[in-house]
Amino acid sequence: MCTRLVYLGPDGRVLTARSMDWKRDIGTNIWALPRGIERTGEAGPNSLSWTAEYGSVVATAYDVATTDGMNESGLAANLLWLPESEYPDPDDETPTLSISLWAQYMLDNFATVAEAVEHVREDEFAVVTDRVPGEDRLAALHLSLSDATGDSAIMEYVDGELVVHHDRDYQTMTNSPTFDKQRALAEYWEQIGGTVMLPGTNRPADRFVRARFYTNAIPQVEDRRTATASVFSVIRNVSVPHGINTPDAPHISSTRWRTVADHKDGIYYFESALTPNVFWVELDELDFSPDAAVRSLQLGPDQSAVFAGDVSDQLAASDPFPFLGVSAG
């Protein structure tokens, strides 16, 4: 489920796109979260605690988790499914963080990928997972980060250990396999060349190859409209047609929505599979001061509410959504 890519254009035109593939309505809404909010990791007595240093615009899952978003400094975070994920068993000493807050923790605390990577390598904490709302399976996710410099990082829990892949060249990721094996796929397909043949199925490995090829094949331009159109065309190319689900492969599901984060101009674009319009939020138009209200844009069942163009002034003051807490015991 899901594909993520980063476009590196000239003059700092950096765009991050992702698709959200899920087998049923994931209950997504758009939220603007100001600085100064105090949070805990919601994962038992050893939970992390922090105060948000940066405001952010996020897309939720079931309004209990941040699954995608960008903060006011241009850091973007994307959660994607990784069936191979295996999280550590919490102990009595290591600080804990609910998986519902993993992306939000990064958006709240860091301006760049490098800052986030340095933090997770020096300050150990354990992500704690729990069941997906309404399902009898554990959430198995990996996290991608990108920033206004074009830097990228992929964070995964493999065999109970946090693995961090950090490099500007790590522009593309999908769900499976683990990122080290996705890098091997990239090396293999570089020898074949995308103009000769590209794999066309909706399997994660095939989507990875297509996304990687097209991200670097489209024109590298500074013009915002052209670059955004090109990036949307690539993320649509690797989307799964609406109505398609593979029961024995839950990581292959219909694309529900797509986002594009413009790191340079601070614009967060959203496109639902059920509406013909793209709309966007301009972060410079929002009040992220500590005294500002939490605001939301309610997207309706299956994100079917119709919006178009700049909706920055349509986000309404709202009570904050509660992050899903899990037990670390």
Side-chain angles (χ1 to χ4, degrees), residues 5-71:
L5 58 92
V6 181
Y7 173 91
L8 303 175
D11 300 319
R13 179 61 66 196
V14 179
L15 301 165
T16 296
R18 72 85 53 85
S19 58
M20 169 57 77
D21 304 347
W22 204 247
K23 65 181 181 180
R24 61 189 179 95
D25 182 10
I26 197 170
T28 296
N29 293 299
I30 303 297
W31 292 78
L33 306 175
R35 300 184 294 271
I37 296 178
E38 295 185 3
R39 303 193 207 280
T40 74
E42 302 290 348
N46 290 327
S47 293
L48 289 168
S49 61
W50 68 94
T51 301
E53 186 172 347
Y54 302 99
S56 57
V57 170
V58 305
T60 59
Y62 306 107
D63 271 356
V64 298
T66 291
T67 189
D68 194 79
M70 180 170 63
N71 72 17

Side-chain angles (χ1 to χ4, degrees), residues 1-327:
M1 292 166 282
C2 316
T3 305
R4 169 265 198 188
L5 58 92
V6 181
Y7 173 91
L8 303 175
D11 300 319
R13 179 61 66 196
V14 179
L15 301 165
T16 296
R18 72 85 53 85
S19 58
M20 169 57 77
D21 304 347
W22 204 247
K23 65 181 181 180
R24 61 189 179 95
D25 182 10
I26 197 170
T28 296
N29 293 299
I30 303 297
W31 292 78
L33 306 175
R35 300 184 294 271
I37 296 178
E38 295 185 3
R39 303 193 207 280
T40 74
E42 302 290 348
N46 290 327
S47 293
L48 289 168
S49 61
W50 68 94
T51 301
E53 186 172 347
Y54 302 99
S56 57
V57 170
V58 305
T60 59
Y62 306 107
D63 271 356
V64 298
T66 291
T67 189
D68 194 79
M70 180 170 63
N71 72 17
E72 57 186 319
S73 288
L75 180 74
N78 323 96
L79 280 178
L80 281 70
W81 196 261
L82 177 66
E84 293 89 348
S85 299
E86 185 177 333
Y87 302 93
D89 294 324
D91 54 35
D92 294 329
E93 298 178 0
T94 306
T96 50
L97 178 69
S98 168
I99 199 167
S100 68
L101 282 137
W102 196 9
Q104 192 63 50
Y105 180 75
M106 301 299 172
L107 296 175
D108 283 351
N109 288 297
F110 307 109
T112 66
V113 171
E115 287 180 14
V117 169
E118 181 181 12
H119 174 77
V120 301
R121 285 177 170 165
E122 293 183 356
D123 296 271
E124 184 180 5
F125 62 86
V127 168
V128 180
T129 191
D130 204 349
R131 286 180 174 81
V132 176
E135 300 186 35
D136 190 24
R137 58 172 175 159
L138 293 175
L141 305 168
H142 54 171
L143 173 69
S144 71
L145 300 175
S146 50
D147 66 23
T149 74
D151 199 7
S152 281
I154 316 296
M155 300 183 184
E156 302 176 336
Y157 278 92
V158 181
D159 297 326
E161 298 290 335
L162 179 64
V163 178
V164 179
H165 304 270
H166 177 205
D167 197 289
R168 181 183 172 89
D169 290 339
Y170 299 158
Q171 297 166 252
T172 313
M173 66 179 283
T174 52
N175 312 111
S176 181
T178 52
F179 193 69
D180 58 332
K181 295 178 181 176
Q182 292 186 35
R183 289 165 57 188
L185 275 173
E187 293 177 6
Y188 171 79
W189 280 94
E190 275 181 359
Q191 299 177 37
I192 297 175
T195 57
V196 176
M197 178 179 66
L198 283 172
T201 80
N202 53 18
R203 294 171 58 249
D206 288 5
R207 286 186 278 113
F208 173 85
V209 172
R210 293 204 307 281
R212 189 173 186 276
F213 172 75
Y214 284 123
T215 298
N216 291 292
I218 55 178
Q220 308 293 301
V221 298
E222 194 283 329
D223 179 70
R224 184 171 78 194
R225 174 172 288 189
T226 303
T228 304
S230 296
V231 169
F232 260 113
S233 70
V234 176
I235 200 64
R236 290 169 183 146
N237 179 278
V238 293
S239 295
V240 180
H242 191 71
I244 290 181
N245 291 293
T246 309
D248 59 346
H251 52 287
I252 301 177
S253 300
S254 297
T255 295
R256 298 285 171 174
W257 47 259
R258 291 169 282 267
T259 62
V260 173
D262 183 328
H263 300 264
K264 182 175 183 177
D265 290 335
I267 303 175
Y268 186 69
Y269 298 89
F270 190 96
E271 179 183 57
S272 169
L274 289 191
T275 65
N277 307 305
V278 174
F279 64 87
W280 59 87
V281 177
E282 298 192 18
L283 275 67
D284 287 346
E285 298 297 317
L286 301 178
D287 182 3
F288 289 115
S289 66
D291 296 329
V294 171
R295 308 184 79 84
S296 71
L297 188 70
Q298 299 296 305
L299 303 185
D302 290 300
Q303 298 76 59
S304 58
V306 178
F307 299 97
D310 183 2
V311 299
S312 305
D313 61 354
Q314 296 185 46
L315 276 70
S318 306
D319 291 332
F321 66 89
F323 284 92
L324 182 65
V326 300
S327 172

